[in-house]
């Protein structure tokens, strides 16, 4: 499998240029096509009893939507032209909520390129941000891009392994990138004092053989931490100079992670490098 269709979120924020640059980089590496998605939100119908004012409201809303469509198209055209090479792309505009639209369109894509959620975690704990919603609902891997990362570097790739279904899914989804990486390291982080997971570690030789059959020679790094898993995993990725971290998302109850925090949410908000996640 290659990444032939790359869906990228065109939300107008500080990470816009970085996401488009990375999406274009993926397309360049795999001769793929970039699909940029602009969402305008759900349009509201005017109050039925508003009389003549309803028509005025509808016309004003229509003009506003058209202006936003035109501005979004121009911004995307400019960003893709700046990619430097002729890369095929399509611009979609949907009058829908961002998370739903991205998850819906992702089902006809190979990977979804999204911005890293804000680290302030300002949303109420039980409200999923777009990235979390897409991870859970799209059935496709997501690539989270920090706002200051503008290229798909694959000098070193770290792959988190805990023996879970989600970790296995992420490994398979990331295979096109793993094949192109100069160095791949399988990482298992064990929490000191917790029940030791021999199953995850015992599977490492089989995981290495699986990767080798796909043309990927991977090393192994075992870590133990007295603290939380996510910071230890990021430290380990930093130690091998990783450009990309691959991991499964929400291996435990999502509600529990949203309320208590959790590895997935921490990685999504604080990883300083590209983060590929699958669920």
């Amino acid at each position: 499998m290659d990444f032939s269709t790359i869906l990228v979120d065109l939300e107008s924020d500080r990470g816009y240029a970085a996401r488009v640059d990375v999406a274009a980089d993926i397309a360049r590496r795999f001769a793929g096509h970039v699909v940029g998605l602009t969402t305008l939100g759900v349009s509201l119908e005017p109050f039925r009893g508003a009389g003549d004012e309803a028509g005025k409201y509808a016309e004003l809303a229509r003009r506003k939507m058209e202006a936003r469509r035109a501005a979004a198209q121009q911004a995307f055209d400019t960003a893709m032209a700046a990619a430097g090479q002729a890369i095929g792309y399509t611009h979609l505009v949907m009058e829908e909520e961002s998370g739903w639209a991205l998850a819906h369109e992702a089902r006809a894509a190979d990977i979804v390129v999204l911005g890293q959620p804000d680290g302030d975690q300002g949303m109420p704990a039980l409200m999923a941000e777009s990235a979390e919603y897409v991870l859970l609902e799209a059935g496709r891997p997501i690539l989270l891009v920090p706002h200051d990362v503008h290229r798909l570097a694959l000098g070193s790739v770290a792959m988190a392994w805990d023996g879970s279904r989600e970790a296995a899914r992420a490994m398979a989804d990331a295979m096109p990138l793993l094949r192109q990486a100069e160095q791949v390291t399988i990482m298992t982080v064990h929490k000191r004092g917790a029940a030791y997971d021999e199953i995850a570690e015992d599977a490492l030789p089989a995981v290495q053989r699986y990767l080798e059959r796909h043309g990927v020679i991977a090393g192994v790094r075992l870590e133990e931490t007295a603290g939380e898993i996510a910071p230890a995993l990021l430290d380990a990725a930093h130690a091998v100079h990783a450009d990309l971290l691959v991991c499964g998302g929400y291996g435990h109850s999502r509600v529990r992670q949203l309320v208590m925090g959790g590895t997935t949410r921490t990685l999504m908000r604080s990883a300083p490098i590209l983060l590929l996640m699958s669920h």
Side-chain angles (χ1 to χ4, degrees):
M1 182 195 86
D2 284 333
F3 296 131
S4 298
T5 302
I6 302 102
L7 179 67
V8 58
D9 180 19
L10 297 184
E11 176 71 21
S12 181
D13 57 27
R14 64 174 179 164
Y16 179 99
R19 289 195 302 278
V20 175
D21 287 346
V22 170
D25 230 359
I26 298 172
R28 188 179 297 110
R29 280 179 178 268
F30 297 99
H33 187 93
V34 177
V35 178
L37 177 62
T38 297
T39 54
L40 304 177
V42 179
S43 60
L44 299 176
E45 294 296 327
F47 180 57
R48 290 177 179 270
D52 292 341
E53 294 301 315
K56 294 178 181 178
Y57 173 86
E59 177 60 18
L60 182 63
R62 185 191 67 79
R63 291 181 181 179
K64 186 176 181 179
M65 285 293 189
E66 288 305 314
R68 290 178 63 188
R69 288 173 190 266
Q73 181 69 62
Q74 182 177 8
F76 190 39
D77 288 342
T78 300
M80 290 304 296
Q85 294 184 21
I87 297 172
Y89 68 96
T90 302
H91 184 209
L92 298 180
V93 182
M94 297 180 67
E95 293 183 20
E96 296 288 351
E97 184 274 327
S98 177
W100 184 92
L102 285 163
H104 181 270
E105 292 301 319
R107 292 164 192 160
D110 296 304
I111 190 169
V112 191
V113 181
L114 304 171
Q116 186 178 51
D118 289 335
D120 59 11
Q121 303 186 30
M123 293 190 73
L126 293 178
M127 291 179 64
E129 294 185 8
S130 291
E132 293 175 282
Y133 185 86
V134 176
L135 171 63
L136 291 166
E137 298 295 330
R140 293 293 186 270
I142 67 171
L143 183 68
L144 292 174
V145 181
H147 68 87
D148 57 350
V149 175
H150 287 262
R151 60 186 294 266
L152 178 68
L154 294 175
S156 174
V157 174
M159 190 186 79
W161 178 257
D162 62 0
S164 67
R165 180 191 71 82
E166 291 78 13
R169 180 71 266 161
M171 175 171 61
D173 287 342
M175 193 62 72
L177 302 175
L178 297 177
R179 285 199 192 104
Q180 292 201 8
E182 296 175 20
Q183 172 184 305
V184 175
T185 306
I186 307 167
M187 295 185 168
T188 295
V189 178
H190 175 68
K191 195 164 185 178
R192 194 176 303 150
Y196 191 65
D197 189 353
E198 293 183 0
I199 296 176
E201 186 171 328
D202 288 348
L204 288 174
V207 171
Q208 285 181 291
R209 290 192 296 271
Y210 168 78
L211 291 171
E212 187 174 354
R213 293 183 188 114
H214 283 275
V216 179
I217 305 301
V220 171
R221 187 181 181 99
L222 304 178
E223 296 284 342
E224 185 179 62
T225 179
E228 297 301 317
I229 296 294
L233 189 55
L234 291 176
D235 287 344
H238 177 73
V240 298
H241 309 288
D243 304 299
L244 168 69
L245 175 61
V246 175
C247 61
Y250 289 120
H252 300 290
S253 164
R254 175 178 169 274
V255 172
R256 189 184 82 180
Q257 288 207 35
L258 286 175
V259 173
M260 303 299 292
T263 301
T264 300
R265 299 196 87 214
T266 301
L267 289 175
M268 291 178 81
R269 285 165 172 77
S270 60
I273 57 176
L274 294 172
L275 177 67
L276 186 145
M277 301 189 100
S278 296
H279 175 70

